[in-house]
Amino acid sequence: MVTGLEIAVLVAVLVLLLGSYRVIHTVRPFIVNAVVGLVVLLLASTFGFGVEITPIVLVIVAIGGVPGALLVVLLAYVGLAFSPIVVSSLLLAV
């Protein structure tokens, strides 16, 4: 015989399952954008365009995808933002 507690637990599990599906469905494009953007950043690093990967860079790449990654690489190349710290130039300046 099924009790009221068992039905309540079943309903709670179904609600949690539906909620987790919606969260995963909402977050999936950001995860895909972040992965593709990081691949673009790694390819840019392979070709000599160094970018310091920070949480801000990850947010820009996750939201912007490939265009966001290209913007970050461009800004790092120009020297406006996201450029990696070069220890040898700091040592030469001292």
Side-chain angles (χ1 to χ4, degrees), residues 9-22:
V9 168
L10 179 65
V11 169
V13 167
L14 288 175
V15 166
L16 287 174
L17 206 86
L18 181 63
S20 64
Y21 171 77
R22 287 186 168 244

Side-chain angles (χ1 to χ4, degrees), residues 2-91:
V2 178
T3 63
L5 179 62
E6 291 172 338
I7 293 174
V9 168
L10 179 65
V11 169
V13 167
L14 288 175
V15 166
L16 287 174
L17 206 86
L18 181 63
S20 64
Y21 171 77
R22 287 186 168 244
V23 167
I24 290 172
H25 185 68
T26 303
V27 173
R28 184 180 307 177
F30 291 112
I31 294 171
V32 171
N33 280 343
V35 169
V36 172
L38 284 176
V39 168
V40 169
L41 289 178
L42 289 174
L43 285 174
S45 177
T46 302
F47 290 113
F49 300 105
V51 176
E52 182 180 358
I53 297 178
T54 62
I56 294 173
V57 169
L58 291 178
V59 168
I60 292 171
V61 170
I63 293 173
V66 174
L70 293 176
L71 177 68
V72 167
V73 169
L74 179 69
L75 288 174
Y77 179 71
V78 175
L80 292 176
F82 313 118
S83 56
I85 298 173
V86 180
V87 177
S88 62
S89 66
L90 289 176
L91 291 177

